[in-house]
Amino acid sequence: GFVATVRVTAGSTGTTGWSVAVTLPTGAAVTSTWNASASGNGPVRFSNVAYNGRLGAGQATEFGFQGTGSAAGLTPTCTAS
């Protein structure tokens, strides 16, 4: 298994919401998440929760997840709104 921590940093205009898509290696799965909500399984999309979606310019927040299998080859892709 593995544990991952992901840092989300707002750009120069800030954000009112964010999401991160992570493509897991074959055989890996997310078993728990904190400071984000997770949906899907290929890729898994993590999105902000009520208390950490609004970020001012340059501000950051972190979330994490625990998984089964191997973390080798994780591919995160970030989007913001």
Side-chain angles (χ1 to χ4, degrees), residues 4-10 18 20 33-37 46-49 51-55 59-65:
T5 301
V6 179
R7 182 179 198 80
V8 177
T9 304
W18 54 262
V20 176
T33 306
W34 53 95
N35 296 332
S37 59
F46 298 94
S47 56
N48 63 277
V49 289
Y51 57 83
N52 67 358
R54 184 175 300 276
L55 300 173
Q59 288 184 323
T61 189
E62 291 184 343
F63 71 93
F65 61 97

Side-chain angles (χ1 to χ4, degrees), residues 9 11 15 22 26-28 30 34 40-41 56 58 68 72 75:
T9 304
T15 184
V22 176
T26 302
V30 173
W34 53 95
N41 57 12
T68 59
T75 307

